[in-house]
Amino acid sequence: MNGTISSDGREIAIDIRNMSLWYGEKQALYDVSLPIRKNAITALIGPSGCGKSTLLRSINRMNDLVDGCRMEGSMMFDGQDILSPNIDVNTLRVRVGMVFQKPNPFPMTIRENLTYGPKLQGIKDKAELDEIVVSCLQKAAIYDEVADRLDRSAFGLSGGQQQRLCIARALSVNPEVILMDEPTSALDPIATSKIEDLAVQLRKDYTVAIVTHNMQQASRISDYTAFMYMGKLIEYGETSELFSNPKEELTERYLTGRFG
């Protein structure tokens, strides 16, 4: 993927420029410009209703499913504008995977959860499918826990295991970008820690963008952080710099718990 290069020499996977979005008459995003850097974790933080999830879901056009949604601006990804009406949304969603707030395994076996996407892509060879199953479960750091029950229902797993299975399922179609919308908000601290460790591992091979309400989580795992408020991007920068030395008063107030 040949992206543009940012000022710090990092390749930009997705270049968001002047992005605005409306749900009917209600404007939810205002002129947001933001680089999502390749092989890095970008955290989107801010109070409830500030537009974090709306922005994240725009990256793989999930907002198309909402009646009356209209977008302006551009999101350049591998030379194409994600917001263009001509883009193949199904292909986009293969290349840009999504993990949701609540684990949502398919009502089928663990193995079938992982072979569903590859089969849709035309992969029929059993050995190749088996290889995908093992590889993705290993990448999602759950293989050892489920290796002896691949042909049992995914609903038999704990919440944290289901979420890692959903991450493995997203990996099964070989994406380039993984979007995570508050992936640990329904999980206990131990499961949360496993997902955080996994996200850090994944950035070696993938570009990760994560929406989180948990500022400690953002500071622990992300390379870059974007702070949003009322549909606007207030501040963006390297996580260590933004948390230790915020440039905007609003950012400082949010990080110190004075609102939000």
Side-chain angles (χ1 to χ4, degrees), residues 2-16:
N2 299 313
T4 52
I5 304 298
S6 64
S7 56
D8 63 358
R10 297 285 291 266
E11 191 173 339
I12 297 173
I14 299 170
D15 199 5
I16 303 169

Side-chain angles (χ1 to χ4, degrees), residues 5-258:
I5 304 298
S6 64
S7 56
D8 63 358
R10 297 285 291 266
E11 191 173 339
I12 297 173
I14 299 170
D15 199 5
I16 303 169
R17 295 283 179 93
N18 308 114
M19 163 79 180
S20 295
L21 182 145
W22 291 259
Y23 294 123
E25 297 296 309
K26 182 182 184 305
Q27 188 165 358
L29 294 174
Y30 296 82
D31 199 33
V32 174
S33 294
L34 175 69
I36 306 291
R37 286 167 163 84
K38 187 176 180 182
N39 294 118
I41 299 175
T42 299
L44 305 177
I45 65 170
S48 295
C50 72
K52 307 182 296 294
S53 290
T54 294
L55 179 62
L56 191 81
R57 287 162 176 260
S58 299
I59 298 173
N60 73 345
R61 295 280 292 269
M62 289 296 290
N63 289 319
D64 288 19
L65 305 173
V66 180
D67 286 341
C69 179
R70 178 169 63 88
M71 296 176 284
E72 290 181 0
S74 68
M75 286 190 182
M76 299 307 296
F77 173 53
D78 200 14
Q80 287 186 296
D81 185 358
I82 288 170
L83 304 186
S84 166
N86 301 319
I87 199 160
D88 183 330
V89 174
N90 290 325
T91 300
L92 173 68
R93 288 178 187 155
V94 168
R95 298 180 69 190
V96 182
M98 186 106 189
V99 178
F100 296 93
Q101 186 169 354
K102 290 183 180 172
N104 62 339
F106 297 148
M108 49 182 71
T109 68
I110 293 168
R111 187 191 306 276
E112 288 166 338
N113 265 270
L114 291 164
T115 58
Y116 183 83
K119 283 179 177 177
L120 283 181
Q121 291 183 310
I123 297 173
K124 299 284 190 282
D125 181 71
K126 184 180 182 302
E128 187 176 356
L129 289 168
D130 287 347
E131 193 176 311
I132 289 169
V133 169
V134 173
S135 170
C136 292
L137 289 172
Q138 286 174 337
K139 286 181 181 176
I142 190 177
Y143 178 73
D144 291 344
E145 297 168 44
V146 302
D148 60 347
R149 46 177 166 158
L150 296 179
D151 296 307
R152 296 186 207 165
S153 170
F155 291 153
L157 301 176
S158 69
Q161 288 173 325
Q162 286 186 16
Q163 192 66 299
R164 279 182 285 150
L165 176 64
C166 291
I167 293 171
R169 187 179 67 200
L171 300 179
S172 71
V173 292
N174 199 26
E176 295 157 58
V177 179
I178 300 170
L179 310 176
M180 297 183 170
D181 192 1
E182 294 192 59
T184 63
S185 64
L187 304 180
D188 62 52
I190 292 173
T192 293
S193 178
K194 288 184 177 179
I195 298 290
E196 289 181 3
D197 290 345
L198 175 54
V200 172
Q201 288 295 315
L202 290 175
R203 73 175 165 197
K204 295 173 187 171
D205 299 307
Y206 306 92
T207 298
V208 179
I210 181 169
V211 164
T212 179
H213 265 29
N214 184 329
M215 285 184 285
Q216 289 75 28
Q217 181 173 79
S219 67
R220 278 195 298 266
I221 71 170
S222 70
D223 303 286
Y224 300 91
T225 296
F227 168 60
M228 298 183 68
Y229 182 67
M230 296 184 71
K232 298 177 181 176
L233 177 66
I234 305 301
E235 188 167 348
Y236 166 83
E238 290 190 28
T239 297
S240 56
E241 180 69 14
L242 185 138
F243 274 83
S244 63
N245 188 28
K247 294 180 174 59
E248 301 294 329
E249 185 187 350
L250 256 181
T251 312
E252 184 178 10
R253 286 175 58 203
Y254 182 71
L255 293 176
T256 54
R258 281 183 279 167

